[in-house]
Structure formats: structure tokens, C-alpha cells
Amino acid sequence: MAAMAVALRGLGGRFRWRTQAVVGGVRGAARAGQRDYDLLVVGGGSGGLACAKEGTRWGLGGTCVNVGCIPKKLMHQAALLGGLIQDAPNYGWEVAQPVPHDWRKMAEAVQNHVKSLNWGHRVQLQDRKVKYFNIKASFVDEHTVCGVAKGGKEILLSADHIIIATGGRPRYPTHIEGALEYGITSDDIFWLKESPGKTWHPTDVALECAGFLTGIGLDTTIMMRSIPLRGFDQQMSSMVIEHMASHGTRFLRGCAPSRVRRLPVGQLQVTWEDRTTGKEDTGTFDTVLWAIGRVPDTRSLNLEKAGVDTSPDTQKILVDSREATSVPHIYAVGDVVEGRPELTPTAIMAGRLLVQRLFGGSSDLMDYDNVPTTVFTPLEYGCVGLSEEEAVARHGQEHVEVYHAHYKPLEFTVAGRDASQCYVKMVCLREPPQLVLGLHFLGPNAGEVTQGFALGIK
């Protein structure tokens, strides 16, 4: 993980860089009563970068830039283009079908773009006089962090205020035989130089990856143990699954994997159990992609040495409405925080507001209610506010009214596309003036559509 140190503007517009001392042979330790920096940010993802810029194992950018939103959306776009190529003859374009897809070319282009973003972040930090350390950081005490560089060299950094923004890492199902040895995660799929081929996904969390893999012509199977897209509106989630199934993604329902082993021919054999019948079955695949959620990157931080409390269940950091941890001058933002949406824009805004409160005289707090989000499945699902289930649980069935409609996008007409899953619904309070509690949209460009509705609902 990265650490970034910021010296903020003092009187007269000058930067107050503080002299570092050498103590016990480790460079960077501060003299008693004096600290190196005003602000130290541990973590180089969206939240951490926002904190560092506002105040003044991948490259910079964290999950979103390197293994999340950016490469995912670009590969999703590659799959959408494949669908448009199939539509093209209906619009007069003479395109020989089928059109092959070159994974290597796509992956190289996506990876080059990600690397350009990494470099751009480094340049921006330099322009804003932010000192960037590419180190593995852990706490020594509540004001001091020890960083270890790739060569093993250690440095001590101290600061008046410390912000933790280390994000998360993919979870492996270590209880499944062969999972760690033969499987990859969503972090890996975007950096494969060769096509993953026939791919098996053990959970519906992998819907976005499975969607674009199917879209570029790969054989893709998803195993579902229970309900799809837990936490989202279940009617909308079911329609997402229906659309994917009708467009080539294979679903195994009510099944749980038990082991993975490599066959002599090099392929992977997955064994699973049907929870309904109790019978075992197997399948052969080129790639096993684990996408079963993420865990906070906190275990190596030595948070106990700083006195920072975490949730015993999730190991995420506990904070208050000001993003402050159990130690008043240590804060946390982003995916590493308990009870916060795991969304890049919220981490960015939370980081900016936090630094403005610390150094800009602001009192504005982050508002985590009605944050819009989009699931980039082949037919995109965007939503803001409460699901129908949440609205009923909170207000009671008799107090909830749902307005809904199917629709057909104009671009589907000439191409003869199936629009049976294009759908929008609005969850409201029944009593006038019928306050809108949630908006759910399934169809092309759902992210852009949802943004507009989110402003109105907010």
C-alpha cells in the first residue's frame, strides 16, 4: 500500500515542511514533541488520493483504477460493442459474421490506459506538493507509521493527523480444496494477457465479469447458492439474471463448490454439490474465477498499536459521522470502513470533506443516504434509494406504492432486440405527496439515467 504525506500551507502561503531526524538508524523518526507532517494518508486508492490532493501491490488509484471500475467498464464496453456489431447489418452495415474478438489486444489497451492513470496520479501528487512513499505501512504508535520499501529499507513517518484509506483485497474460499492453488480473483482477470477461455464463477457477485466474458464470446458458468445480488431489489435482480441467461450465460442454482483440481491436460475440474438433491457433479473449465467479496486491508496495519478499533466480525474500521476512529486524530474513509458503501465516488467525497474539516474550517459531513449505484451487467441495472423489500420493511406493505413500466429503447427496434427485461420502477410512500423512496432502472446506459433521477430524489 502507498503512504502519502502532506504539509499544508501555513501563514504567508508557504509550505511548512518539517525537518526529519534520524533516530536509531531509521530515517524519518521525529524528535520528541515534533512530527514530520500535518497529514499522513495510508493508502493510494480513490479515498486516499482525494484526501492527499484536497489537502494539497498496484500503482496509484486503488481498486477502482487498477482492478475495479475502470478496467471493468472498459471490458464491459468491449462486450457491448460486440452486440452492436451484431445489430449493424440491420442498420445497413455489411459486416461479415461472426466477428472474432482478440483478448490480447483488448487487455493490452485496457492495461495501458490503467498505467497512464497511475502515472497521472503521481504527477498530480507532485504538482500538489504531496510526498509519495511506495511502502508497506504499519502503525508504531498513534502518531507514527513504519514503512517498508521493496528493498527492505524502513522509514518512520509521523503526523498530527493520519487517514487510513487502504481499501480491500479479494477474499479466497480457503475451505475449498484447490481454491487458492488453481483459482484467480477479479483482481487478476483484468491483467490476464491471454483469454481465460471457458470460465466458471462460484457466485452471483461475479455477474459483471461473467457478463462481459459472455459478451465477447466465452463460455461462462455462474454458480448461485442463494439469491442473486444480495442487498439489491430482488425483482430487478431476477430480471438481470433472466436477461443474462437468455443471452448465453449458464447458471447453476442451489449449488456449492467443494474442490478444484488440475487435470493432466491442464484444464481445471470443479466438483460441486446440489444442495437440493445432495448429489455431486463436476465440470471442466479453463479458468476458475473467485468473486466472493472483499476483505478490508487492515490485518498488516498493526492497528492495535495505535488503539484503533475494528469490527470483530468484518475487521473493518469503526468510525463516527466525522470519519474519526476510536483515536480522535486518526480517521478512515472508503471500503476499509464499517457500514460505508463500497463505491469510489463516496470515498472521494468523504476524503475531500474530511480534509476540508481538518484544515479548511468546514463543518460539512458526508451524507451517505440515497447514494446511486450501477451494476454493469450486459443489461445495466441502476438504482438509488430503497429497494422494494427495504421500503416494505421500514414503512410496512400498506404504506408503500410501486409504479412500474416496461419500455423498449429506440435502438432496440430496428435491430429486433428483445426488450422484455427493459424495466423501470419507482418505490414511493402511498400517502400524499408520495415521497419517492427508491428508483430502479434496468436497461442501456443505466448509470447515466440513474444519475439524473438521483439528483431529484436527493
Side-chain angles (χ1 to χ4, degrees):
M1 69 190 68
M4 291 167 287
V6 185
L8 299 170
R9 289 188 184 275
L11 297 175
R14 295 182 179 179
F15 283 94
R16 298 184 287 109
W17 291 103
R18 298 177 179 179
T19 304
Q20 294 181 342
V22 178
V23 178
V26 181
R27 184 178 183 275
R31 292 187 290 270
Q34 182 181 8
R35 301 189 182 97
D36 302 333
Y37 299 101
D38 298 298
L39 174 65
L40 180 67
V41 182
V42 182
S46 300
L49 285 168
C51 292
K53 292 177 185 178
E54 187 69 19
T56 58
R57 171 174 117 182
W58 316 301
L60 285 168
T63 299
C64 175
V65 168
N66 294 278
V67 292
C69 325
I70 300 300
K72 173 192 72 181
K73 184 74 183 294
L74 290 172
M75 291 191 177
H76 170 65
Q77 175 65 15
L80 293 182
L81 287 172
L84 293 176
I85 291 171
Q86 293 177 13
D87 291 347
N90 295 291
Y91 285 93
W93 292 96
E94 297 298 331
V95 181
Q97 302 283 354
V99 178
H101 180 266
D102 187 331
W103 174 280
R104 179 183 284 272
K105 185 173 291 186
M106 175 192 69
E108 182 179 2
V110 170
Q111 291 159 15
N112 285 341
H113 178 65
V114 168
K115 290 173 183 175
S116 74
L117 295 177
N118 298 152
W119 176 251
H121 285 310
R122 294 200 66 162
V123 171
Q124 289 174 11
L125 290 176
Q126 185 175 354
D127 290 345
R128 288 166 172 77
K129 302 296 189 291
V130 178
K131 178 69 173 176
Y132 169 61
F133 298 90
N134 188 8
I135 56 177
K136 185 76 171 177
S138 61
F139 279 90
V140 175
D141 58 43
E142 63 179 22
H143 279 288
T144 311
V145 165
C146 177
V148 181
K150 287 183 178 180
K153 183 180 179 181
E154 292 188 353
I155 183 173
L156 291 181
L157 302 169
S158 63
D160 294 334
H161 304 278
I162 298 176
I163 300 176
I164 303 168
T166 51
R169 291 294 183 270
R171 185 195 308 272
Y172 270 96
T174 52
H175 63 286
I176 297 176
E177 179 186 340
L180 193 59
E181 295 88 339
Y182 304 121
I184 65 171
T185 70
S186 55
D187 280 12
D188 306 309
I189 189 73
F190 302 114
W191 291 90
L192 294 179
K193 296 193 180 300
E194 302 293 338
S195 170
K198 184 180 179 183
T199 309
W200 180 84
H201 308 247
T203 71
D204 62 276
V205 179
L207 289 179
E208 292 176 318
C209 289
F212 70 67
L213 291 175
T214 301
I216 61 175
L218 299 180
D219 187 317
T220 309
T221 299
I222 293 179
M223 181 169 291
M224 292 175 52
R225 295 182 61 176
S226 56
I227 62 174
L229 290 176
R230 187 178 301 277
F232 288 88
D233 187 280
Q234 282 305 291
Q235 180 193 8
M236 306 301 291
S237 300
S238 296
M239 296 180 78
V240 169
I241 299 298
E242 289 171 11
H243 179 271
M244 291 183 64
S246 67
H247 286 75
T249 302
R250 185 180 299 106
F251 288 89
L252 298 172
R253 299 173 184 265
C255 298
S258 56
R259 64 180 176 275
V260 181
R261 70 184 187 95
R262 186 175 295 281
L263 299 174
V265 292
Q267 288 186 300
L268 301 174
Q269 184 185 73
V270 179
T271 302
W272 62 86
E273 178 187 347
D274 187 313
R275 291 296 181 89
T276 304
T277 64
K279 293 183 178 179
E280 268 195 354
D281 203 351
T282 61
T284 303
F285 304 89
D286 298 308
T287 300
V288 170
L289 175 64
W290 301 111
I292 57 172
R294 302 178 75 82
V295 294
D297 196 7
T298 56
R299 293 186 183 276
S300 63
L301 288 176
N302 292 335
L303 294 176
E304 65 281 358
K305 291 189 177 180
V308 174
D309 292 340
T310 59
S311 164
D313 298 323
T314 65
Q315 284 73 55
K316 289 194 171 188
I317 296 173
L318 303 174
V319 302
D320 61 17
S321 61
R322 300 177 301 110
E323 322 299 347
T325 69
S326 51
V327 181
H329 63 271
I330 300 179
Y331 304 84
V333 296
D335 294 1
V336 77
V337 179
E338 178 71 13
R340 299 291 194 241
E342 295 185 358
L343 298 170
T344 291
T346 54
I348 292 172
M349 182 57 70
R352 287 175 176 169
L353 291 174
L354 170 56
V355 175
Q356 289 167 9
R357 290 195 300 274
L358 289 177
F359 303 105
S362 172
S363 59
D364 292 342
L365 297 175
M366 178 65 186
D367 183 358
Y368 289 99
D369 287 333
N370 292 330
V371 176
T373 187
T374 300
V375 182
F376 288 101
T377 41
L379 196 63
E380 298 172 9
Y381 167 34
C383 61
V384 57
L386 301 182
S387 67
E388 185 174 346
E389 291 84 3
E390 289 170 332
V392 169
R394 186 174 299 186
H395 300 283
Q397 183 73 60
E398 69 278 12
H399 298 297
V400 174
E401 189 83 50
V402 177
Y403 296 90
H404 66 110
H406 287 273
Y407 69 97
K408 189 163 190 173
L410 181 63
E411 58 267 37
F412 279 28
T413 55
V414 171
R417 283 204 189 193
D418 176 20
S420 57
Q421 281 92 30
C422 292
Y423 183 73
V424 59
K425 78 172 180 180
M426 192 163 57
V427 182
C428 308
L429 284 177
R430 181 163 293 171
E431 292 78 11
Q434 293 201 309
L435 179 70
V436 178
L437 302 174
L439 188 285
H440 302 267
F441 180 91
L442 185 59
N445 306 302
E448 282 65 38
V449 172
T450 306
Q451 286 184 103
F453 284 111
L455 285 172
I457 290 174
K458 198 71 177 176

